[in-house]
Amino acid sequence: MDIENVWQQSSGSDDALNKMFQQKDFSNLQSKLPLNKLKRNLVTGIILAVLITALYVAVIFYVEIWQVYVSLGTLSLFNIFIAYDSRKLYRSINVNISTTNSLKEELQKNYNGFQRWWRIQERLGLFVYPIGAAGGFIMGGVLGSGKPVEAFLYNPKILLILGATIIILVPLCYFGARWMFNYAYGKHLAKLKATIDELSEAF
């Protein structure tokens, strides 16, 4: 039995699909599809992005340091973009996969969508992390020392520490974000990719 033809002709028929999976040793394929879990984790990510942005906004109203405004404003815009892009990705994922296209193409489209979504965040993060690190350093130093920003930064040692902080924190943020991505989505995307590979081998 041709899997692709059955998929195209089934129009969502569970009986036809089950018969196809049994004959081609794909009886557990549907349980392997991790799209539900990926969508659920996207919702969690959107909620976290909104809550963290709300915290940034609260801090902006609390402190009176323009450099911190710039830093937290940039981080807030970054989070808003992530939430917006995550929502777009969420809406593009159809758990009840369309039968008008190839099954493998549908799964590949979802897989590619996640990869694109993450690559954009990684690249933007490289510009955002230094700003966030600098803003956090300045806010902590000013509040801790009780000095104005100019007086606090008017010290070569402080500037060297600021530079070292950025150099250290940016890679930590980058790899920390990658770890979080793999923790939340990695294993589910790996299962999705394995399913795509199984379908590729079947034809």
Side-chain angles (χ1 to χ4, degrees), residues 11 16 20 28 33 42 47 85 109 147 171 187 202:
S11 299
M20 173 189 71
N28 63 345
L33 297 181
L42 275 175
I47 294 172
D85 204 35
K109 181 188 72 173
K147 299 178 180 179
K187 64 180 180 180

Side-chain angles (χ1 to χ4, degrees), residues 1-8 20 24 26 199 202-203:
M1 178 180 293
D2 189 313
I3 297 177
E4 192 68 27
N5 287 338
V6 172
W7 176 257
Q8 295 286 349
M20 173 189 71
K24 286 290 185 178
F26 278 83
L199 288 169
F203 300 129

Side-chain angles (χ1 to χ4, degrees), residues 23-50:
Q23 292 192 3
K24 286 290 185 178
D25 196 24
F26 278 83
S27 57
N28 63 345
L29 178 60
Q30 288 177 310
S31 64
K32 289 183 178 180
L33 297 181
L35 296 178
N36 275 319
K37 293 180 180 179
L38 287 168
K39 291 192 73 171
R40 185 164 59 246
N41 288 353
L42 275 175
V43 171
T44 301
I46 292 171
I47 294 172
L48 286 175
V50 171

Side-chain angles (χ1 to χ4, degrees), residues 65-174:
I65 305 170
W66 72 264
Q67 292 89 344
V68 175
Y69 295 164
V70 172
S71 175
L72 293 182
T74 302
L75 291 173
S76 297
L77 289 175
F78 181 59
N79 283 350
I80 291 170
F81 171 77
I82 289 175
Y84 172 76
D85 204 35
S86 298
R87 182 175 177 271
K88 281 179 58 180
L89 179 60
Y90 177 90
R91 296 183 66 181
S92 73
I93 298 173
N94 184 9
V95 176
N96 300 316
I97 298 174
S98 171
T99 57
T100 60
N101 299 321
S102 162
L103 172 59
K104 189 182 78 169
E105 288 177 359
E106 286 286 321
L107 298 179
Q108 189 71 56
K109 181 188 72 173
N110 289 316
Y111 181 82
N112 291 343
F114 265 93
Q115 296 298 323
R116 177 206 60 81
W117 172 79
W118 176 240
R119 281 195 302 270
I120 291 174
Q121 290 187 47
E122 273 194 318
R123 292 168 184 172
L124 285 177
L126 292 175
F127 296 97
V128 172
Y129 299 147
I131 298 173
F137 179 88
I138 293 172
M139 183 174 68
V142 169
L143 295 179
S145 66
K147 299 178 180 179
V149 175
E150 293 76 13
F152 172 68
L153 292 178
Y154 191 69
N155 185 328
K157 291 183 179 179
I158 294 297
L159 293 177
L160 286 174
I161 295 172
L162 172 59
T165 299
I166 293 174
I167 291 172
I168 293 171
L169 286 184
V170 169
L172 286 178
C173 290
Y174 178 84

